[in-house]
Amino acid sequence: MGGRIVTTVAAATAQRTRAASSEHSVGGKAATRPSSTATQTGASPTTTSSAKAGAAAVVDLSANAKAQLANLVSGAPSTSGAIGIKSFDEVVQDRSKALADTLVSRLTNLGIPLDEPIDLKLDSAGNVTTDSPYKKKIEKMFKDDPELAKEFREVAGLNAMKAAQKALEAFDKEKKAARNDEERDAAYGRYTARLMKSQDLSGTMTLDDGKLRSWSVEFMNSSVGEVAAPKASAKAEAAATQRVVRTV
């Protein structure tokens, strides 16, 4: 079992951002803004919105997961353990599917119907909570199985890193397309707002039709215009807007 490390939605992209800042320039000066943002959001979780999102920012990563995180930062493919050579996105997808399959099996055994989506969220203590009509049974299931709760925290964290990576990629494209300082500033503002909202949603996932949907990833996909707003995105963005009150 890996050690306890602290990470936020932006933490996995901090090093990549610093590298990108040294490669690209704006008006002859290094474009260091994303690095500053990543540093801020990667700071102590008690000083950012991750305190509100609870333990979504605190993840117990296994050895393989930590190897994947290191490879994400360095850009290298993974060759660790049984995971084999996979991209970060593939690892997130596989881990999310495995957890979804486990939850479907466990909930079915408890007699909990799965005909309606079930929202699962980390509270400030790192416990998995829900507003489902079967709240007591579901929360007890996670409380009685620390490993299952740990896997939920880890998968939520990996999905949040995926969303942060997507935010950085979108910012790079928008920055390159900017024609002047005003448009570059606007691109940076969008990047910061996306990152903040994504971080605030990072501890929430929905089990729906046998699959786990990360609110952080769904919000980011919709925000950068890659896909039409999925079913949970409007709900996710509304929740983030209500909780996040900041001046970007």
Side-chain angles (χ1 to χ4, degrees):
M1 183 180 300
R4 187 174 180 82
I5 69 170
V6 177
T7 182
T8 66
V9 211
T13 62
Q15 185 172 334
R16 272 191 173 183
T17 305
R18 288 192 291 272
S21 297
S22 66
E23 294 175 359
H24 302 292
S25 62
V26 177
K29 297 181 180 180
T32 58
R33 277 184 164 180
S35 178
S36 174
T37 302
T39 301
Q40 287 178 348
T41 53
S44 170
T46 59
T47 62
T48 69
S49 66
S50 60
K52 296 181 181 180
V58 182
V59 183
D60 259 342
L61 292 181
S62 64
N64 276 338
K66 286 195 290 184
Q68 292 299 327
L69 175 57
N71 289 328
L72 168 64
V73 173
S74 67
S78 168
T79 57
S80 61
I83 288 181
I85 300 177
K86 291 185 179 180
S87 70
F88 179 71
D89 282 356
E90 287 174 327
V91 171
V92 177
Q93 181 179 348
D94 289 350
R95 291 284 295 277
S96 298
K97 182 181 184 303
L99 178 57
D101 291 345
T102 298
L103 290 176
V104 167
S105 176
R106 295 285 296 274
L107 294 173
T108 299
N109 289 339
L110 289 173
I112 297 175
L114 302 176
D115 51 340
E116 293 291 336
I118 299 176
D119 294 336
L120 301 167
K121 179 182 177 182
L122 292 171
D123 66 12
S124 59
N127 301 312
V128 182
T129 64
T130 181
D131 291 329
S132 165
Y134 302 91
K135 176 181 175 69
K136 289 184 179 180
K137 281 188 176 183
I138 294 174
E139 292 183 357
K140 184 177 186 301
M141 176 187 73
F142 281 102
K143 184 177 181 180
D144 291 345
D145 190 343
E147 286 301 313
L148 182 62
K150 176 181 177 294
E151 182 66 6
F152 182 91
R153 289 192 297 270
E154 188 163 324
V155 170
L158 290 171
N159 274 283
M161 285 187 274
K162 178 179 177 178
Q165 182 182 20
K166 192 174 293 293
L168 180 59
E169 291 169 353
F171 170 73
D172 283 340
K173 291 179 182 178
E174 293 172 3
K175 182 182 68 176
K176 290 175 182 176
R179 295 165 295 182
N180 50 51
D181 287 344
E182 184 177 353
E183 291 185 359
R184 280 186 284 272
D185 286 343
Y188 173 68
R190 289 191 296 273
Y191 167 78
T192 303
R194 287 167 179 162
L195 211 54
M196 286 180 174
K197 286 187 177 182
S198 175
Q199 181 178 2
D200 201 55
L201 296 169
S202 62
T204 305
M205 297 193 291
T206 297
L207 182 65
D208 184 15
D209 195 24
K211 298 178 182 179
L212 270 176
R213 300 199 314 265
S214 162
W215 284 30
S216 184
V217 170
E218 288 204 346
F219 162 74
M220 194 61 68
N221 286 342
S222 176
S223 178
V224 302
E226 284 196 354
V227 296
K231 191 162 46 176
S233 288
K235 183 178 179 181
E237 185 167 2
T241 301
Q242 289 175 3
R243 289 194 296 267
V244 180
V245 181
R246 298 184 179 89
T247 301
V248 177

